[in-house]
Coordinates of all heavy atoms in Angstrom, one line a residue:
Chain H
R669 N 264.0 109.8 42.1 CA 263.5 108.4 42.2 C 262.4 108.4 43.2 O 262.3 109.2 44.2 CB 264.6 107.4 42.4 CG 265.1 107.3 43.9 CD 266.2 106.2 44.0 NE 267.3 106.6 43.1 CZ 268.2 107.5 43.4 NH1 268.1 108.2 44.5 NH2 269.2 107.8 42.6
H671 N 260.2 105.3 45.7 CA 259.9 104.0 46.2 C 258.4 104.0 46.7 O 258.1 104.9 47.5 CB 260.8 103.5 47.3 CG 262.2 103.4 46.9 ND1 263.1 104.4 46.8 CD2 262.9 102.2 46.7 CE1 264.3 104.0 46.5 NE2 264.2 102.7 46.4
V672 N 257.6 103.2 46.1 CA 256.2 103.2 46.5 C 255.7 101.8 47.0 O 256.2 100.8 46.5 CB 255.3 103.6 45.3 CG1 253.8 103.7 45.7 CG2 255.8 104.9 44.7
V673 N 254.9 101.8 48.0 CA 254.2 100.6 48.5 C 252.8 100.9 48.6 O 252.4 101.9 49.3 CB 254.8 100.0 49.8 CG1 254.0 98.8 50.2 CG2 256.3 99.7 49.6
T674 N 251.9 100.1 48.0 CA 250.5 100.4 48.0 C 249.7 99.4 48.9 O 250.1 98.3 49.0 CB 249.8 100.4 46.6 OG1 249.8 99.1 46.1 CG2 250.6 101.3 45.6
M675 N 248.6 99.9 49.4 CA 247.7 99.0 50.1 C 246.3 99.3 49.5 O 245.7 100.2 49.8 CB 247.7 99.3 51.6 CG 249.0 98.9 52.2 SD 249.3 99.7 53.8 CE 250.0 101.2 53.3
V689 N 237.0 84.5 51.3 CA 237.8 83.6 52.0 C 239.3 83.8 51.8 O 240.2 83.3 52.5 CB 237.5 82.1 51.8 CG1 236.1 81.7 52.3 CG2 237.6 81.7 50.3
A690 N 239.7 84.5 50.7 CA 241.1 84.8 50.4 C 241.6 85.9 51.2 O 242.8 86.1 51.3 CB 241.3 85.0 48.9
I691 N 240.7 86.8 51.8 CA 241.2 88.1 52.3 C 240.8 88.4 53.7 O 241.3 89.3 54.3 CB 240.8 89.2 51.3 CG1 241.7 90.4 51.4 CG2 239.3 89.5 51.4 CD1 243.0 90.3 50.8
V692 N 239.8 87.7 54.3 CA 239.5 87.9 55.7 C 240.7 87.6 56.5 O 241.3 86.5 56.4 CB 238.2 87.1 56.1 CG1 238.1 87.2 57.6 CG2 237.0 87.6 55.4
D693 N 241.1 88.5 57.4 CA 242.2 88.3 58.3 C 243.5 88.1 57.5 O 244.3 87.2 57.8 CB 241.9 87.1 59.3 CG 243.0 87.0 60.3 OD1 243.7 87.9 60.6 OD2 243.1 85.8 60.9
N694 N 243.6 88.7 56.4 CA 244.7 88.5 55.5 C 245.0 89.7 54.6 O 244.2 90.6 54.5 CB 244.4 87.3 54.6 CG 245.6 86.5 54.0 OD1 246.7 86.7 54.5 ND2 245.4 85.7 53.0
L695 N 246.2 89.6 53.9 CA 246.5 90.5 52.8 C 247.2 89.8 51.7 O 247.7 88.7 52.0 CB 247.3 91.8 53.3 CG 248.7 91.6 53.8 CD1 249.7 91.5 52.7 CD2 249.0 92.8 54.7
I696 N 247.2 90.3 50.5 CA 247.9 89.6 49.4 C 248.9 90.5 48.8 O 248.5 91.6 48.3 CB 246.9 89.1 48.3 CG1 245.8 88.2 49.0 CG2 247.5 88.5 47.1 CD1 244.6 87.9 48.1
P697 N 250.2 90.2 48.9 CA 251.2 91.2 48.5 C 251.5 91.2 47.0 O 252.7 91.5 46.6 CB 252.4 90.7 49.3 CG 252.3 89.2 49.3 CD 250.8 89.0 49.3
Y698 N 250.5 91.1 46.2 CA 250.8 91.0 44.7 C 249.5 91.3 44.0 O 248.4 90.8 44.4 CB 251.3 89.7 44.3 CG 251.4 89.5 42.8 CD1 252.4 90.2 42.2 CD2 250.6 88.7 42.1 CE1 252.6 90.1 40.8 CE2 250.7 88.6 40.7 CZ 251.7 89.3 40.1 OH 251.9 89.2 38.7
E703 N 252.0 96.7 39.0 CA 253.3 97.5 39.3 C 253.9 98.0 38.0 O 254.3 99.2 37.9 CB 254.3 96.5 40.0 CG 253.8 96.2 41.4 CD 254.4 95.0 42.0 OE1 255.3 94.3 41.4 OE2 254.1 94.6 43.2
E719 N 263.4 107.3 38.3 CA 263.3 105.8 38.7 C 262.1 105.6 39.5 O 261.8 106.4 40.4 CB 264.5 105.4 39.5 CG 265.9 105.5 38.8 CD 267.0 105.4 39.8 OE1 266.9 104.5 40.7 OE2 267.9 106.2 39.8
Y721 N 260.1 102.5 41.7 CA 260.0 101.2 42.3 C 258.7 101.0 43.0 O 258.4 101.8 43.9 CB 261.2 101.0 43.2 CG 262.5 101.3 42.5 CD1 263.3 102.4 42.9 CD2 263.0 100.5 41.5 CE1 264.5 102.7 42.2 CE2 264.2 100.7 40.8 CZ 264.9 101.8 41.2 OH 266.1 102.1 40.5
V722 N 258.0 100.1 42.6 CA 256.6 99.9 43.1 C 256.3 98.5 43.6 O 256.7 97.5 42.9 CB 255.6 100.3 42.0 CG1 254.1 100.3 42.6 CG2 255.9 101.6 41.3
T723 N 255.7 98.4 44.7 CA 255.1 97.1 45.2 C 253.7 97.3 45.5 O 253.4 98.2 46.3 CB 255.9 96.6 46.4 OG1 257.3 96.4 46.1 CG2 255.3 95.2 46.9
T724 N 252.8 96.5 44.9 CA 251.4 96.7 45.2 C 250.8 95.6 45.9 O 251.0 94.4 45.6 CB 250.6 96.9 43.8 OG1 250.9 95.7 43.0 CG2 251.0 98.1 43.1
T725 N 249.9 95.9 46.9 CA 249.3 94.8 47.7 C 247.8 95.0 47.9 O 247.3 96.2 47.7 CB 249.9 94.8 49.2 OG1 249.4 95.8 49.9 CG2 251.4 94.9 49.1
V727 N 244.6 94.7 50.4 CA 244.2 94.6 51.8 C 242.7 94.6 52.0 O 242.0 95.0 51.1 CB 244.8 95.9 52.6 CG1 246.3 95.8 52.7 CG2 244.3 97.2 52.0
P728 N 242.2 94.1 53.2 CA 240.8 93.9 53.3 C 240.0 95.2 53.6 O 239.5 95.4 54.7 CB 240.7 92.9 54.5 CG 242.0 93.1 55.2 CD 243.0 93.5 54.2
I729 N 240.0 96.0 52.6 CA 239.3 97.3 52.8 C 238.4 97.5 51.5 O 238.9 97.2 50.4 CB 240.4 98.4 52.9 CG1 241.1 98.3 54.2 CG2 239.8 99.8 52.7 CD1 242.2 99.2 54.4
L730 N 237.2 98.0 51.6 CA 236.3 98.1 50.5 C 236.8 99.1 49.4 O 236.8 98.7 48.3 CB 234.9 98.5 51.0 CG 234.1 97.4 51.6 CD1 232.9 98.0 52.2 CD2 233.7 96.5 50.4
D731 N 237.0 100.3 49.8 CA 237.3 101.4 48.9 C 238.4 102.2 49.4 O 238.5 102.5 50.6 CB 236.0 102.3 48.6 CG 234.9 101.6 47.9 OD1 235.2 101.0 46.8 OD2 233.8 101.7 48.3
T734 N 245.6 103.2 49.5 CA 246.6 104.0 50.3 C 248.0 103.7 49.7 O 248.2 102.6 49.4 CB 246.5 103.5 51.8 OG1 245.2 103.6 52.2 CG2 247.4 104.4 52.6
V736 N 252.1 104.5 50.3 CA 253.3 105.1 51.0 C 254.3 105.4 50.0 O 254.7 104.5 49.2 CB 253.8 104.1 52.1 CG1 255.0 104.7 52.8 CG2 252.7 103.8 53.1
Y738 N 258.1 107.2 49.1 CA 259.4 107.9 49.4 C 259.9 108.6 48.1 O 259.9 107.9 47.1 CB 260.4 106.8 49.8 CG 260.1 106.1 51.1 CD1 259.6 104.8 51.1 CD2 260.3 106.7 52.3 CE1 259.4 104.1 52.2 CE2 260.1 106.0 53.5 CZ 259.6 104.7 53.4 OH 259.3 104.0 54.6
D740 N 263.0 110.8 46.4 CA 264.3 111.4 46.4 C 264.1 112.6 45.5 O 264.0 112.5 44.3 CB 265.4 110.5 45.9 CG 265.7 109.3 46.8 OD1 265.0 109.3 47.9 OD2 266.5 108.5 46.5
I780 N 248.6 113.1 62.7 CA 249.7 112.2 62.4 C 249.2 110.8 61.9 O 250.0 110.1 61.3 CB 250.6 112.1 63.7 CG1 251.9 111.5 63.3 CG2 249.9 111.2 64.7 CD1 253.0 111.7 64.3
D781 N 248.0 110.5 62.2 CA 247.5 109.1 61.8 C 246.6 109.2 60.6 O 245.7 108.3 60.4 CB 246.8 108.5 63.0 CG 245.6 109.2 63.5 OD1 245.4 110.4 63.0 OD2 244.9 108.7 64.4
R782 N 246.7 110.1 59.7 CA 245.9 110.2 58.5 C 246.8 110.3 57.3 O 247.9 110.6 57.4 CB 245.0 111.5 58.6 CG 244.1 111.5 59.8 CD 243.0 110.5 59.7 NE 241.9 111.0 58.9 CZ 240.8 111.7 59.4 NH1 240.7 111.9 60.7 NH2 239.9 112.2 58.6
P783 N 246.3 109.9 56.1 CA 244.9 109.6 55.8 C 244.6 108.2 56.1 O 245.4 107.3 56.2 CB 244.9 109.7 54.2 CG 246.3 109.4 53.8 CD 247.2 109.9 54.9
Q784 N 243.3 107.9 56.4 CA 242.7 106.6 56.6 C 241.6 106.4 55.6 O 240.8 107.2 55.4 CB 242.2 106.5 58.0 CG 243.2 106.6 59.1 CD 242.6 106.5 60.5 OE1 241.5 106.0 60.7 NE2 243.3 107.0 61.5
P785 N 241.6 105.2 55.0 CA 240.6 104.9 53.9 C 239.2 105.2 54.3 O 238.5 106.0 53.6 CB 240.8 103.5 53.6 CG 242.2 103.1 54.0 CD 242.5 104.0 55.1
R786 N 238.7 104.7 55.4 CA 237.3 104.9 55.7 C 236.9 106.3 56.1 O 235.8 106.8 55.8 CB 236.9 104.0 56.9 CG 235.4 103.9 57.1 CD 234.9 102.7 57.8 NE 235.6 102.6 59.1 CZ 235.4 103.3 60.2 NH1 234.4 104.2 60.2 NH2 236.1 103.1 61.3
L787 N 237.9 107.1 56.6 CA 237.6 108.4 57.0 C 237.8 109.4 55.9 O 237.3 110.5 55.9 CB 238.4 108.8 58.2 CG 238.2 107.9 59.5 CD1 239.0 108.5 60.7 CD2 236.7 107.9 59.8
R789 N 238.3 108.7 52.2 CA 238.1 108.4 50.8 C 237.0 109.3 50.1 O 237.1 109.4 48.9 CB 237.8 106.9 50.6 CG 236.5 106.4 51.3 CD 236.5 104.9 51.4 NE 235.4 104.4 52.3 CZ 235.4 103.2 52.8 NH1 236.4 102.3 52.6 NH2 234.4 102.8 53.5
R801 N 251.3 112.6 56.8 CA 252.6 112.1 57.2 C 253.7 112.6 56.3 O 254.6 111.9 55.9 CB 252.6 110.6 57.2 CG 251.5 110.0 58.2 CD 252.0 108.8 58.9 NE 253.1 109.1 59.7 CZ 254.1 108.3 60.1 NH1 254.0 107.0 59.7 NH2 255.0 108.7 60.9
R803 N 257.0 114.0 55.7 CA 258.2 114.0 56.5 C 259.4 114.2 55.7 O 259.6 113.7 54.6 CB 258.3 112.6 57.2 CG 257.3 112.3 58.3 CD 257.3 110.9 58.7 NE 256.8 110.0 57.6 CZ 257.1 108.7 57.5 NH1 257.9 108.1 58.4 NH2 256.6 108.0 56.5
L805 N 263.0 112.9 55.8 CA 263.8 111.9 56.5 C 265.3 112.1 56.5 O 266.0 111.6 57.3 CB 263.4 110.5 55.9 CG 262.0 110.1 55.9 CD1 261.8 108.8 55.2 CD2 261.4 110.0 57.3
A806 N 265.7 112.9 55.5 CA 267.1 113.2 55.3 C 267.1 114.3 54.2 O 266.1 114.6 53.6 CB 267.9 112.0 54.8
K809 N 265.2 113.7 50.9 CA 264.5 112.4 51.1 C 263.1 112.7 51.8 O 263.1 113.0 53.0 CB 265.3 111.5 52.0 CG 264.6 110.2 52.3 CD 264.5 109.2 51.2 CE 265.9 108.5 50.9 NZ 265.7 107.5 49.7
V813 N 252.2 109.8 52.8 CA 251.1 108.8 52.5 C 250.0 109.5 51.7 O 249.6 110.6 52.1 CB 250.6 108.2 53.8 CG1 249.5 107.2 53.5 CG2 251.7 107.6 54.6
Chain R
R740 N 271.4 101.1 51.9 CA 270.2 101.7 52.5 C 269.0 100.8 52.3 O 269.0 100.0 51.4 CB 269.9 103.1 51.9 CG 269.4 103.2 50.5 CD 269.1 104.6 50.1 NE 270.4 105.3 50.0 CZ 271.3 105.1 49.0 NH1 271.1 104.3 48.0 NH2 272.5 105.8 49.1
H742 N 264.5 101.0 52.3 CA 263.2 101.6 52.5 C 262.2 100.5 52.9 O 262.1 99.5 52.1 CB 262.7 102.2 51.2 CG 263.6 103.4 50.7 ND1 264.8 103.2 50.0 CD2 263.4 104.7 50.7 CE1 265.3 104.4 49.7 NE2 264.5 105.3 50.1
V743 N 261.5 100.7 54.0 CA 260.6 99.7 54.5 C 259.2 100.3 54.7 O 259.1 101.5 55.1 CB 261.1 99.2 55.8 CG1 260.2 98.0 56.3 CG2 262.5 98.7 55.7
V744 N 258.2 99.5 54.3 CA 256.8 99.9 54.6 C 256.2 98.6 55.3 O 256.3 97.5 54.7 CB 256.0 100.3 53.4 CG1 254.5 100.5 53.8 CG2 256.6 101.6 52.8
T745 N 255.6 98.8 56.5 CA 255.1 97.6 57.2 C 253.6 97.7 57.2 O 252.9 98.8 57.1 CB 255.5 97.6 58.6 OG1 254.9 98.6 59.4 CG2 257.0 97.7 58.7
M746 N 253.0 96.5 57.2 CA 251.5 96.4 57.4 C 251.4 95.5 58.6 O 251.5 94.2 58.5 CB 250.9 95.8 56.1 CG 251.0 96.8 55.0 SD 250.7 96.1 53.4 CE 252.3 95.5 53.0
V760 N 236.0 99.6 66.0 CA 235.4 100.7 65.2 C 236.5 101.5 64.5 O 236.2 102.2 63.5 CB 234.4 101.6 65.9 CG1 233.2 100.8 66.4 CG2 235.1 102.3 67.1
A761 N 237.7 101.5 65.0 CA 238.7 102.3 64.3 C 239.3 101.6 63.1 O 240.0 102.2 62.3 CB 239.8 102.6 65.3
I762 N 239.1 100.3 63.0 CA 239.9 99.5 62.0 C 239.1 98.7 61.0 O 239.6 98.2 60.0 CB 241.0 98.7 62.7 CG1 242.2 98.3 61.8 CG2 240.4 97.5 63.4 CD1 243.1 99.4 61.5
V763 N 237.8 98.4 61.3 CA 237.0 97.7 60.3 C 237.0 98.5 59.0 O 236.7 99.7 59.1 CB 235.6 97.4 60.9 CG1 234.7 96.9 59.7 CG2 235.7 96.4 62.0
D764 N 237.2 97.9 57.9 CA 237.2 98.6 56.6 C 238.1 99.8 56.6 O 237.8 100.8 56.1 CB 235.7 99.0 56.3 CG 235.6 99.6 54.9 OD1 236.4 99.3 54.0 OD2 234.6 100.3 54.7
N765 N 239.3 99.6 57.2 CA 240.2 100.8 57.4 C 241.6 100.3 57.6 O 241.9 99.1 57.9 CB 239.7 101.6 58.6 CG 240.2 103.1 58.5 OD1 240.5 103.5 57.4 ND2 240.1 103.7 59.6
L766 N 242.5 101.2 57.5 CA 243.9 101.0 58.0 C 244.4 102.3 58.6 O 243.8 103.4 58.4 CB 244.8 100.5 56.9 CG 245.2 101.5 55.7 CD1 246.3 102.5 56.1 CD2 245.7 100.6 54.6
I767 N 245.4 102.3 59.4 CA 245.9 103.5 60.1 C 247.4 103.6 59.8 O 248.2 102.7 60.1 CB 245.7 103.4 61.6 CG1 244.2 103.2 62.0 CG2 246.3 104.6 62.4 CD1 243.9 102.9 63.4
P768 N 247.8 104.6 59.1 CA 249.2 104.7 58.6 C 250.2 105.2 59.6 O 251.2 105.9 59.2 CB 249.1 105.6 57.4 CG 248.0 106.6 57.8 CD 247.1 105.8 58.7
Y769 N 250.1 104.9 60.8 CA 251.0 105.4 61.8 C 250.9 104.5 63.1 O 249.8 104.2 63.5 CB 250.6 106.8 62.2 CG 251.4 107.4 63.3 CD1 252.8 107.7 63.1 CD2 250.9 107.6 64.6 CE1 253.5 108.2 64.2 CE2 251.6 108.1 65.6 CZ 253.0 108.4 65.4 OH 253.7 108.9 66.4
E774 N 258.5 103.5 64.2 CA 259.5 103.7 63.1 C 260.9 104.0 63.7 O 261.9 103.5 63.2 CB 259.0 104.9 62.2 CG 257.8 104.5 61.5 CD 256.9 105.6 61.0 OE1 257.3 106.8 61.2 OE2 255.9 105.4 60.3
E790 N 271.6 103.4 55.9 CA 270.4 104.3 56.0 C 269.1 103.5 56.1 O 269.0 102.5 55.3 CB 270.3 105.2 54.7 CG 271.4 106.2 54.5 CD 271.3 106.7 53.1 OE1 270.2 107.2 52.7 OE2 272.4 106.7 52.4
Y792 N 264.9 103.9 56.2 CA 263.7 104.7 56.1 C 262.5 103.8 56.3 O 262.3 102.8 55.6 CB 263.6 105.4 54.7 CG 264.9 106.2 54.4 CD1 265.8 105.8 53.5 CD2 265.2 107.3 55.2 CE1 267.0 106.5 53.2 CE2 266.3 108.0 55.0 CZ 267.2 107.6 54.0 OH 268.4 108.3 53.8
V793 N 261.7 104.1 57.3 CA 260.6 103.2 57.7 C 259.3 103.9 57.8 O 259.2 105.0 58.4 CB 260.9 102.5 59.1 CG1 259.9 101.4 59.4 CG2 262.4 102.0 59.1
T794 N 258.2 103.3 57.3 CA 256.9 103.8 57.6 C 256.1 102.6 58.1 O 256.1 101.5 57.4 CB 256.2 104.3 56.3 OG1 257.0 105.4 55.8 CG2 254.8 104.9 56.6
T795 N 255.5 102.7 59.2 CA 254.7 101.6 59.8 C 253.2 101.9 59.8 O 252.8 103.0 60.2 CB 255.2 101.3 61.3 OG1 255.1 102.5 62.0 CG2 256.6 100.9 61.3
T796 N 252.5 100.9 59.4 CA 251.0 101.0 59.4 C 250.3 99.9 60.1 O 250.9 98.8 60.2 CB 250.5 101.1 57.9 OG1 250.4 99.8 57.3 CG2 251.4 102.0 57.0
V798 N 247.0 97.4 60.0 CA 246.0 96.8 59.1 C 245.0 95.9 59.8 O 245.4 95.3 60.8 CB 246.6 96.1 57.8 CG1 247.3 97.2 56.9 CG2 247.6 95.1 58.3
P799 N 243.8 95.6 59.3 CA 242.9 94.8 60.0 C 243.1 93.3 59.9 O 242.4 92.6 59.2 CB 241.5 95.2 59.3 CG 241.9 95.7 58.0 CD 243.2 96.3 58.1
I800 N 244.2 92.9 60.5 CA 244.7 91.5 60.5 C 245.0 91.1 61.9 O 245.7 91.9 62.6 CB 245.9 91.3 59.5 CG1 245.4 91.5 58.1 CG2 246.6 90.0 59.7 CD1 246.5 91.6 57.0
L801 N 244.7 89.9 62.3 CA 244.9 89.6 63.7 C 246.3 89.4 64.1 O 246.8 90.0 65.1 CB 244.2 88.2 64.0 CG 242.7 88.4 64.3 CD1 242.1 87.0 64.4 CD2 242.5 89.1 65.7
D802 N 247.0 88.5 63.4 CA 248.4 88.2 63.7 C 249.3 88.2 62.4 O 248.8 87.7 61.4 CB 248.5 86.8 64.4 CG 247.9 86.8 65.8 OD1 248.3 87.6 66.6 OD2 247.1 85.9 66.0
T805 N 253.5 92.1 58.1 CA 254.1 92.0 56.7 C 254.9 93.2 56.5 O 254.5 94.3 56.8 CB 252.9 91.9 55.7 OG1 252.0 90.9 56.0 CG2 253.5 91.7 54.3
V807 N 257.3 95.2 53.4 CA 257.8 95.4 52.1 C 259.1 96.1 52.2 O 259.2 97.2 52.8 CB 256.8 96.1 51.2 CG1 257.4 96.3 49.8 CG2 255.5 95.4 51.1
Y809 N 262.8 97.4 50.3 CA 263.7 97.7 49.2 C 265.1 97.8 49.8 O 265.3 98.6 50.7 CB 263.3 99.0 48.5 CG 261.9 99.1 47.9 CD1 260.9 99.7 48.5 CD2 261.7 98.5 46.7 CE1 259.6 99.8 47.9 CE2 260.5 98.5 46.0 CZ 259.4 99.2 46.7 OH 258.2 99.2 46.1
D811 N 269.1 98.7 48.9 CA 270.2 99.0 48.0 C 271.4 98.3 48.5 O 271.9 98.6 49.6 CB 270.4 100.5 48.0 CG 269.3 101.3 47.4 OD1 268.3 100.7 46.9 OD2 269.3 102.6 47.3
I851 N 254.0 83.7 43.6 CA 254.2 85.1 43.4 C 253.3 86.0 44.4 O 253.6 87.1 44.6 CB 253.8 85.5 41.9 CG1 254.4 86.9 41.6 CG2 252.4 85.5 41.7 CD1 254.5 87.2 40.2
D852 N 252.3 85.3 45.0 CA 251.4 86.1 45.8 C 251.6 85.8 47.3 O 250.7 85.9 48.1 CB 250.0 85.9 45.4 CG 249.6 84.4 45.5 OD1 250.5 83.5 45.8 OD2 248.4 84.1 45.4
R853 N 252.8 85.4 47.7 CA 253.1 85.1 49.1 C 254.3 85.9 49.5 O 255.0 86.4 48.7 CB 253.5 83.6 49.2 CG 252.3 82.7 48.8 CD 251.1 82.7 49.8 NE 251.4 81.8 50.9 CZ 251.0 80.5 50.9 NH1 250.4 79.9 49.8 NH2 251.3 79.7 51.9
P854 N 254.5 86.1 50.8 CA 253.8 85.5 52.0 C 252.5 86.3 52.2 O 252.3 87.4 51.9 CB 254.7 85.8 53.1 CG 255.4 87.1 52.7 CD 255.6 87.0 51.3
Q855 N 251.5 85.5 52.8 CA 250.3 86.1 53.3 C 250.1 85.8 54.7 O 250.3 84.6 55.2 CB 249.1 85.4 52.5 CG 249.1 85.8 51.0 CD 247.9 85.1 50.2 OE1 246.9 84.8 50.8 NE2 248.1 85.0 48.9
P856 N 249.7 86.8 55.5 CA 249.6 86.6 57.0 C 248.9 85.3 57.4 O 249.4 84.5 58.2 CB 248.9 87.8 57.5 CG 249.1 88.9 56.4 CD 249.3 88.1 55.1
R857 N 247.7 85.1 56.9 CA 246.9 84.0 57.4 C 247.4 82.7 57.0 O 247.3 81.7 57.7 CB 245.4 84.1 57.0 CG 244.5 83.1 57.7 CD 243.0 83.5 57.6 NE 242.6 83.8 56.3 CZ 242.3 82.8 55.4 NH1 242.5 81.6 55.7 NH2 241.9 83.2 54.2
L858 N 248.1 82.6 55.9 CA 248.6 81.3 55.4 C 250.0 81.0 55.9 O 250.4 79.9 55.9 CB 248.5 81.3 53.9 CG 247.2 81.5 53.2 CD1 247.2 81.3 51.7 CD2 246.2 80.4 53.8
R860 N 251.8 82.7 58.7 CA 252.3 83.2 60.0 C 252.7 82.1 60.9 O 253.5 82.3 61.8 CB 251.3 84.1 60.7 CG 249.9 83.5 61.0 CD 248.9 84.6 61.3 NE 247.5 84.0 61.4 CZ 246.4 84.7 61.2 NH1 246.4 86.0 61.0 NH2 245.2 84.1 61.3
R872 N 258.4 87.2 46.8 CA 258.5 88.3 45.9 C 260.0 88.9 45.9 O 260.1 90.1 45.7 CB 257.5 89.4 46.2 CG 256.1 88.9 46.2 CD 255.1 90.0 45.7 NE 255.4 90.2 44.3 CZ 255.2 91.4 43.7 NH1 254.6 92.4 44.3 NH2 255.5 91.5 42.4
R874 N 262.8 90.2 44.2 CA 263.0 90.8 42.8 C 264.2 91.7 42.7 O 264.6 92.4 43.6 CB 261.7 91.7 42.5 CG 260.4 90.9 42.3 CD 259.3 91.9 42.4 NE 259.1 92.5 43.7 CZ 258.5 93.7 43.9 NH1 258.0 94.4 42.9 NH2 258.3 94.1 45.2
L876 N 265.2 94.9 40.9 CA 264.5 95.9 40.2 C 265.5 96.7 39.3 O 265.0 97.4 38.4 CB 263.8 96.9 41.2 CG 262.8 96.2 42.1 CD1 262.2 97.2 43.1 CD2 261.7 95.6 41.3
A877 N 266.7 96.7 39.7 CA 267.8 97.4 38.9 C 269.1 96.9 39.5 O 269.1 96.2 40.5 CB 267.6 98.9 39.2
K880 N 269.6 96.9 43.3 CA 268.3 97.3 43.9 C 267.4 96.0 44.1 O 266.9 95.5 43.1 CB 267.6 98.3 43.0 CG 266.2 98.7 43.4 CD 266.1 99.7 44.6 CE 266.6 101.0 44.2 NZ 266.5 102.0 45.4
A882 N 264.2 93.9 46.0 CA 263.0 94.1 46.8 C 262.5 92.7 47.2 O 262.7 91.7 46.6 CB 261.9 94.7 45.9
V884 N 259.3 90.8 50.2 CA 258.3 90.9 51.2 C 258.6 89.9 52.3 O 258.9 88.7 52.0 CB 256.9 90.7 50.6 CG1 255.8 90.8 51.7 CG2 256.6 91.7 49.5

Side-chain angles (χ1 to χ4, degrees):
Chain H
R669 77 181 60 77
H671 293 79
V672 183
V673 176
T674 71
M675 290 164 275
V689 293
I691 201 74
V692 169
D693 187 20
N694 204 18
L695 66 83
I696 301 171
Y698 175 70
E703 293 160 1
E719 297 167 47
Y721 305 110
V722 189
T723 302
T724 56
T725 79
V727 291
I729 291 172
L730 277 171
D731 289 310
T734 306
V736 178
Y738 296 102
D740 292 0
I780 198 162
D781 60 354
R782 301 288 278 270
Q784 294 180 21
R786 189 160 52 78
L787 299 184
R789 60 196 171 199
R801 303 216 64 204
R803 290 167 291 159
L805 302 177
K809 177 73 73 180
V813 179
Chain R
R740 74 181 63 75
H742 294 79
V743 183
V744 175
T745 71
M746 290 165 277
V760 294
I762 201 75
V763 169
D764 187 20
N765 204 18
L766 67 82
I767 301 170
Y769 176 69
E774 294 159 1
E790 296 167 48
Y792 305 111
V793 189
T794 303
T795 55
T796 80
V798 292
I800 290 171
L801 277 170
D802 288 311
T805 306
V807 178
Y809 296 103
D811 292 0
I851 199 163
D852 60 355
R853 300 289 278 270
Q855 295 180 21
R857 190 161 51 78
L858 300 183
R860 59 195 172 203
R872 302 217 64 208
R874 290 168 291 158
L876 302 177
K880 176 74 72 179
V884 179

